[in-house]
Amino acid sequence: MTMTRLSAATWSLSAVAAGALLVGCSASVSVGESEKKMSAEKLSGIVAEKLAATTGRPKPDITCPEDLVGKVGNTTRCKLTADDGSTLGVSVKVSSVDGDQINFDIKADDSASPAAN
């Protein structure tokens, strides 16, 4: 029977998945638009900060492909990439909008995808 060892990065992703099952967050957005949005870049930064705070680990590399529209129930998927190239999906869902502030929940996937060879 062969046993495989988890790399430090995979272990790290597992820790994020276990520690960040659901994290509440909020951030302010500009009100100059008729539809409130948080830029993908700002969302990526906030998700990384919240995951780091929840797990007690350094800020992970998070990318979000699109802006988050401030409408309750809207979702987007972000991606956490470890140093070894393995990835973990992170769901972001708008829980409420209060004036110019979008509040959202973060849920990391249960398992990571291995790095592409």
Side-chain angles (χ1 to χ4, degrees):
M1 180 172 171
T2 306
M3 294 187 70
T4 58
R5 291 182 51 195
L6 291 176
S7 70
T10 303
W11 180 88
S12 177
L13 289 177
S14 297
V16 169
L21 293 178
L22 191 62
V23 178
C25 301
S26 66
S28 298
V29 296
S30 67
V31 238
E33 305 170 17
S34 60
E35 188 175 68
K36 293 175 179 57
K37 289 184 184 180
M38 181 181 303
S39 74
E41 184 177 320
K42 183 172 184 177
L43 180 60
S44 297
I46 292 170
V47 169
E49 288 172 11
K50 295 301 179 181
L51 289 176
T54 300
T55 62
R57 302 190 61 82
K59 278 185 10 180
D61 176 20
I62 300 283
T63 55
C64 299
E66 61 191 6
D67 294 348
L68 181 64
V69 176
K71 182 177 179 189
V72 174
N74 275 2
T75 61
T76 190
R77 292 279 294 167
C78 300
K79 181 171 66 171
L80 184 157
T81 304
D83 293 338
D84 71 350
S86 57
T87 61
L88 183 69
V90 180
S91 297
V92 178
K93 183 176 182 180
V94 176
S95 56
S96 66
V97 179
D98 183 19
D100 65 346
Q101 187 166 312
I102 298 174
N103 301 304
F104 53 88
D105 295 321
I106 301 168
K107 183 181 184 313
D109 291 351
D110 293 329
S111 61
S113 299
N117 291 336

